[in-house]
Amino acid sequence: FEELCEEMLADGIQPVVILDPGVMVDKNYEVFASGLKEEVYCTLPDGEPVRGLVWPGWVHYPDFTRQITREWWGKQYQSLIGMGVKGFWHDMNEPAAFAAFGEGTMPRVARHDLEGREGSHIEAHNVYGLMMDQAGFDAQRKFQPEKRPWLLTRSGWAGVQRYAWKWTGDVESTWSALKMTISTVLGLGISGISYAGSDIGGFSGNPDGELFTRWFQMSTLMAFFRSHAAIGAERREPWVFGEPYTSIIREFLLLRKKLMPYLYTLAFEARRTGAPLARPLFWSQPENRALWHVDDAYLLGNNVLVAPVVEQGAEVRSVSFPKGGWYHYWDDSYFPGDSSATVQAPLSQIPFFIKAGSILPTAEKDGIILQIYLPKEDGEFVSHHYADDGDGYGAYRVDTYHLKRTGDQVLIRRHTEGSYPPEPRMKLVLHGGSTQQIEADGEIVPFNGEAVILPSSEIIQFGLQ
């Protein structure tokens, strides 16, 4: 296993291991034996450890409602981190148990410490996954303090966003499940869980090329981005469906990479404000009742509107636009706010739109490009770009851009927070207008579709043709 981790790390892959709470009953298994010695397992009223049947066979369940148990559990992460593991995936932590009948969890009479108060599994069930996630998070902080903990969990409770990402679990590979994913992720977001998504193509079933591609497109524009399937499902690597699906999926992988500066900025915003990455359309316009029931589209941050295709064979879809103007990402066509329209949605595209007035940071081979989507009317707009080394707790940088349009004149002021060094230079690309030259800190820069500005530029202004 250590050699496998070394190979993955050498290829730039960050290994993540899956951990279930059930500990295999085997007196020769060191983890099991130490758990018996420390008396960390949940018990029945007669004092015997609870037994359940999960993937390893018969297991005992640690009592995560007890501080001593959480510390014991956390010690098990040290050796895995030492071998190169960079993240952890907590699964089956409802906790789950295979059962021919009745409830698929430990018995309701099982005893828990509940931080010294003591009680049954009736009380502890809902917080069991949360306490396991806390134990895993604290362990990562302890054994690799220079790195940010990375944890994915199937279960949790209120407050789980402090410790883990969340995915929607073992959903069906169907069009209805694809649509339901949107409302589920939005519900998680407004409940405080910023990082969420689903298994691409669903979990239980065999999606065809069209369903997998549409699911892949939607997931490209969400926080969680993973393909996964049940044991026994057909292979679903992105290349197994053949053309045209393989080429389309490849383009969306590249799109994900291109949009990473924006997604990373949203992660910073979630850290600072709690705002989720995926937001309901009424997020910035709660008074608009027409948007309250839209459950098949969402905002990615405040500046991107995503309208996934969730019906088989569909190549058009209706879109409701919140206030402000919106540019179609694929052709820069413009749609006014507080309106609706039917837009084209060929298999090669997912309809998504950029808000007028936004400055969207994107990544290209030669650095960062600031995509400037010009407002059609006078007004002031604010956008952000966050950057750092990608992990740890070192230097960071937040560039806040204030864009103001007055008639044909556009003025952009940049305010910087943090000490992380800026890009050596950045390009500007205009959408919705053109100019012949840009003035950056008083220096004239010719404009032929793209203008290069220096990192010291704090004031950029130009007139529109």
Side-chain angles (χ1 to χ4, degrees):
F1 179 74
E2 189 170 6
E3 292 178 2
L4 174 63
C5 288
E6 289 177 357
E7 292 177 7
M8 294 174 71
L9 290 166
D11 285 339
I13 301 169
Q14 307 297 304
V16 174
V17 297
I18 185 170
L19 297 178
D20 294 359
V23 180
M24 180 174 58
V25 176
D26 181 350
K27 63 181 181 180
N28 296 316
Y29 179 34
E30 182 180 351
V31 176
F32 172 76
S34 68
L36 279 181
K37 182 179 179 180
E38 299 289 339
E39 298 182 338
V40 299
Y41 298 123
C42 295
T43 62
L44 295 170
D46 62 4
E48 289 296 313
V50 174
R51 290 169 66 92
L53 191 63
V54 200
W55 295 115
W58 290 109
V59 301
H60 289 344
Y61 296 95
D63 181 7
F64 291 111
T65 70
R66 187 183 181 202
Q67 177 65 29
I68 292 175
T69 303
R70 295 195 294 272
E71 293 175 355
W72 167 84
W73 179 264
K75 292 176 183 177
Q76 316 309 321
Y77 290 64
Q78 186 173 12
S79 61
L80 293 168
I81 291 172
M83 287 187 282
V85 172
K86 300 300 182 182
F88 295 87
W89 165 12
H90 289 173
D91 199 21
M92 306 291 282
N93 59 335
E94 289 77 39
F98 300 147
F101 56 88
E103 297 177 326
T105 187
M106 71 174 74
R108 294 189 178 196
V109 296
R111 307 305 297 170
H112 291 264
D113 182 71
L114 292 171
E115 308 292 7
R117 182 168 55 83
E118 297 189 356
S120 72
H121 192 63
I122 295 174
E123 284 190 89
H125 178 79
N126 284 351
V127 298
Y128 189 89
L130 172 66
M131 296 292 95
M132 179 185 178
D133 296 334
Q134 181 185 357
F137 179 89
D138 290 345
Q140 292 182 75
R141 290 291 300 270
K142 179 177 180 180
F143 296 119
Q144 48 181 13
E146 76 286 355
K147 300 292 185 181
R148 301 174 194 158
W150 194 90
L151 182 60
L152 173 69
T153 186
R154 189 163 93 175
S155 296
W157 190 241
V160 72
Q161 69 271 13
R162 291 176 290 177
Y163 310 124
W165 288 49
K166 183 76 181 70
W167 93 106
T168 56
D170 299 346
V171 301
E172 296 177 339
S173 299
T174 63
W175 288 92
S176 60
L178 169 61
K179 181 179 179 180
M180 190 184 301
T181 294
I182 301 171
S183 56
T184 303
V185 170
L186 292 178
L188 289 167
I190 60 177
S191 301
I193 300 173
S194 300
Y195 303 104
S198 64
D199 291 333
I200 297 173
F203 175 81
S204 57
N206 300 306
D208 61 13
E210 182 189 3
L211 176 58
F212 186 87
T213 299
R214 289 304 196 187
W215 212 311
F216 196 97
Q217 291 170 338
M218 179 189 70
S219 297
T220 297
L221 297 164
M222 282 188 169
F224 189 67
F225 187 53
R226 176 185 80 169
S227 180
H228 179 52
I231 292 176
E234 296 175 2
R235 301 302 292 262
R236 63 173 67 180
E237 289 86 353
W239 52 86
V240 304
F241 298 102
E243 296 296 348
Y245 309 109
T246 300
S247 294
I248 294 172
I249 291 168
R250 180 183 294 114
E251 289 303 313
F252 276 84
L253 276 170
L254 295 173
L255 176 63
R256 174 81 173 189
K257 186 175 183 180
K258 179 178 180 179
L259 294 176
M260 194 56 67
Y262 180 67
L263 292 167
Y264 203 56
T265 298
L266 295 183
F268 161 76
E269 186 176 338
R271 170 66 178 85
R272 179 166 283 189
T273 70
L277 278 72
R279 307 166 186 178
L281 294 193
F282 62 77
W283 180 264
S284 58
Q285 198 177 357
E287 72 281 359
N288 187 346
R289 291 173 176 263
L291 301 177
W292 288 4
H293 303 292
V294 177
D295 62 355
D296 63 351
Y298 60 94
L299 297 173
L300 183 62
N302 285 333
N303 295 339
V304 175
L305 189 163
V306 186
V309 176
V310 295
E311 296 181 0
Q312 186 174 14
E315 292 196 347
V316 297
R317 70 149 292 168
S318 176
V319 180
S320 297
F321 295 97
K323 63 182 178 181
W326 299 88
Y327 287 92
H328 202 309
Y329 175 81
W330 300 105
D331 62 10
D332 275 356
S333 54
Y334 181 83
F335 298 87
D338 286 330
S339 67
S340 61
T342 298
V343 300
Q344 297 297 310
L347 182 63
S348 60
Q349 296 179 2
I350 179 175
F352 75 103
F353 308 84
I354 316 301
K355 191 172 185 178
S358 303
I359 298 180
L360 197 73
T362 60
E364 305 289 350
K365 290 182 179 179
D366 55 351
I368 296 295
I369 291 184
L370 298 179
Q371 310 283 349
I372 302 175
Y373 288 84
L374 295 166
K376 296 294 186 181
E377 300 176 352
D378 289 0
E380 297 187 33
F381 309 85
V382 179
S383 301
H384 305 280
H385 175 214
Y386 175 87
D388 60 22
D389 276 332
D391 199 356
Y393 302 93
Y396 70 94
R397 179 184 179 91
V398 185
D399 288 326
T400 299
Y401 294 95
H402 296 266
L403 184 152
K404 181 178 181 180
R405 176 168 182 169
T406 306
D408 291 334
Q409 298 299 310
V410 176
L411 173 67
I412 300 173
R413 294 182 180 272
R414 180 175 67 180
H415 170 75
T416 298
E417 171 191 338
S419 59
Y420 187 74
E423 292 281 327
R425 60 182 192 172
M426 291 185 292
K427 289 183 179 179
L428 302 181
V429 175
L430 301 185
H431 301 263
S434 62
T435 187
Q436 290 186 333
Q437 65 183 25
I438 288 176
E439 184 177 308
D441 287 347
E443 180 180 344
I444 300 299
V445 181
F447 186 85
N448 59 356
E450 292 183 354
V452 176
I453 64 171
L454 301 177
S456 60
S457 301
E458 301 295 342
I459 300 177
I460 301 167
Q461 52 190 340
F462 53 89
L464 297 174
Q465 293 181 312

